[in-house]
Amino acid sequence: MIALPILMQAEKGGDGDNANRGTSVITRTKPKTKKPNLYRVLLLNDDYTPMEFVIHILERFFQKDREAATRIMLHVHNHGVGECGIFTYEVAETKVSQVMDFARQHQHPLQCVMEKK
Ligand code: TYC
């Protein structure tokens, strides 16, 4: 946590540095944290993309081991949609692009989307 200086109206008069402008710097002590917006990256089922290709996608772009990748692929196959991971906006956007580009290079119709949590 970084203590941010806050400019305050104070100390009019006197002979210090702040006297001329009637200002002084105080420091925020309470930790002020901001939660980032998070996005789920989802794979959608289709009838044509090979199961092995989807497993490879999950290993390559989402750092899943073979067991986790297979479980997620089968979940998507059986339920129509499944979560690959949860990321900040820019990371999620990058993952979606990487998956879509890779699928198109291999001429598979696989769809990957992101959704705000
Ligand atoms: N349903 C595909 C098949 O039977 C496999 C598949 C799984 C496709 C997950 C896409 O996101 C997907 N070959």
Side-chain angles (χ1 to χ4, degrees), residues 3-9 23-29 32:
L4 295 171
I6 304 164
L7 198 60
M8 296 285 286
Q9 287 296 119
T23 58
S24 71
V25 173
I26 64 169
T27 302
R28 192 194 303 282
T29 51
K32 190 185 176 190

Side-chain angles (χ1 to χ4, degrees), residues 83-99:
E83 185 179 289
C84 310
I86 299 173
F87 307 97
T88 55
Y89 184 87
E90 286 201 342
V91 176
E93 211 185 22
T94 300
K95 301 279 183 196
V96 169
S97 293
Q98 287 173 332
V99 171

Side-chain angles (χ1 to χ4, degrees), residues 47-63:
D47 292 339
Y48 305 103
T49 304
M51 290 186 174
E52 193 54 49
F53 185 82
V54 178
I55 293 170
H56 179 70
I57 289 267
L58 288 159
E59 291 174 330
R60 178 169 175 146
F61 297 115
F62 298 95
Q63 283 72 49

Side-chain angles (χ1 to χ4, degrees), residues 29-47:
T29 51
K30 184 176 164 214
K32 190 185 176 190
T33 53
K34 284 212 247 88
K35 293 183 208 145
N37 290 320
L38 293 177
Y39 296 79
R40 282 193 185 96
V41 173
L42 306 172
L43 278 178
L44 308 185
N45 190 37
D46 65 73
D47 292 339

